[in-house]
Amino acid sequence: MISHRLGLAASIALAVVWLSAAVLKSLDPAAFAEQITQHRITPASWSQPLAYAFIIIELLLASSLITGYRRRIALVGSVVLLVFFIVITAVAWARGDLADCGCFGRLAPRGPDMTILQDIAFIALAIVGLLARRATPRPRRATASFAVLTPLLMLLPVVGPWLPFDSLVTDLRPGADLSDLAVENVVQPLDQGTVVLAFVSNDCDACLDALPGLNAIAHLDDGPPVVGIFAGDRAMAMDWIFTHVPEFEVGDA
């Protein structure tokens, strides 16, 4: 029988994993939804609801493991969820639909092979916690602690996108070195001097509002070159170009 302390340590470690994953995804649920779409397992219209559903499930598991309320159920649920993640990752990987993935959103992208190994390690933590469960007494006031902590955690997906932690989920910021960005169909080198990169996509009102200003910059004699980067394939990018006629080149990524 695994000792009480080792089982408790494994449960808390797994709680930290779920809480970290949920917090980082909560900072940018839209990016997490995009990762779900890239797996091509479910319709794209399901991605956003699924993103919030997974965040909520991970927060519930973290709350249960931290407070000790229904910890055994949370450990079993962790194993089930991790096995599900492994299967989904393996299917998408086998079909060639996945290059980078991970349970920590975009903070720590990794290949599908490393993701599967990582999830297996987390399953091992859950099993250690389960094997020590009978020797682990239920904490006092576990129900009350769970009832207080859970609603607080559930606020994260709501307030997360508004918190000032963009640096944790994206490297895109003024002055960033993006010379190695994988952009196709552009003539202007991204690794020479200063370049104004405009990230555009369909259904983006802010992109259209910025278009006159970007066109003006593109016509400055001593201004930096402007390059648009469309989020999508070349056919979609060309459709956007013909519709909105930007006065600068637009590549796709």
Side-chain angles (χ1 to χ4, degrees):
M1 180 66 70
I2 294 176
S3 69
H4 158 61
R5 291 184 178 179
L6 182 57
L8 182 60
S11 296
I12 295 301
L14 190 56
V16 172
V17 169
W18 289 130
L19 185 59
S20 300
V23 168
L24 293 172
K25 291 171 184 174
S26 295
L27 296 177
D28 195 348
F32 179 43
E34 182 180 335
Q35 288 184 320
I36 293 175
T37 301
Q38 290 172 357
H39 284 69
R40 302 186 188 278
I41 302 294
T42 55
S45 59
W46 293 14
S47 296
Q48 186 170 353
L50 284 174
Y52 282 99
F54 284 130
I55 292 172
I56 290 172
I57 291 172
E58 290 173 357
L59 290 173
L60 286 172
L61 292 173
S63 182
S64 177
L65 293 170
I66 291 171
T67 62
Y69 176 77
R70 305 291 187 184
R71 182 175 284 155
R72 182 176 180 81
I73 294 177
L75 290 169
V76 173
S78 296
V79 173
V80 172
L81 187 59
L82 288 165
V83 169
F84 173 77
F85 285 161
I86 289 174
V87 171
I88 292 299
T89 301
V91 170
W93 185 20
R95 296 191 316 193
D97 291 330
L98 203 58
D100 293 318
C101 53
C103 68
F104 295 95
R106 288 183 172 173
L107 178 70
R110 56 183 58 79
D113 52 344
M114 292 303 299
T115 298
I116 291 174
L117 291 176
Q118 164 194 280
D119 288 347
I120 291 174
F122 295 155
I123 289 175
L125 282 177
I127 292 175
V128 170
L130 283 169
L131 292 177
R133 178 62 182 87
R134 292 182 181 179
T136 305
R138 177 174 173 172
R140 293 183 178 180
R141 300 179 180 176
T143 302
S145 300
F146 181 81
V148 172
L149 180 61
T150 301
L152 294 177
L153 292 180
M154 291 303 153
L155 292 175
L156 283 172
V158 179
V159 303
W162 307 100
L163 297 177
F165 297 120
D166 285 353
S167 60
L168 293 178
V169 294
T170 180
D171 292 328
L172 301 181
R173 61 181 64 87
D177 181 5
L178 301 178
S179 57
D180 59 346
L181 196 64
V183 183
E184 298 180 353
N185 300 300
V186 291
V187 176
Q188 170 64 41
L190 302 184
D191 58 353
Q192 296 181 10
T194 299
V195 181
V196 176
L197 296 181
F199 294 89
V200 299
S201 65
N202 288 326
D203 302 320
C204 174
D205 293 336
C207 303
L208 301 183
D209 292 340
L211 196 54
L214 292 170
N215 288 336
I217 295 174
H219 284 289
L220 293 175
D221 293 333
D222 56 349
V226 178
V227 175
I229 301 176
F230 185 87
D233 59 30
R234 191 55 185 167
M236 297 171 63
M238 291 302 298
D239 183 66
W240 189 90
I241 292 171
F242 289 139
T243 301
H244 303 293
V245 195
E247 298 174 21
F248 48 87
E249 64 174 336
V250 177
D252 48 275

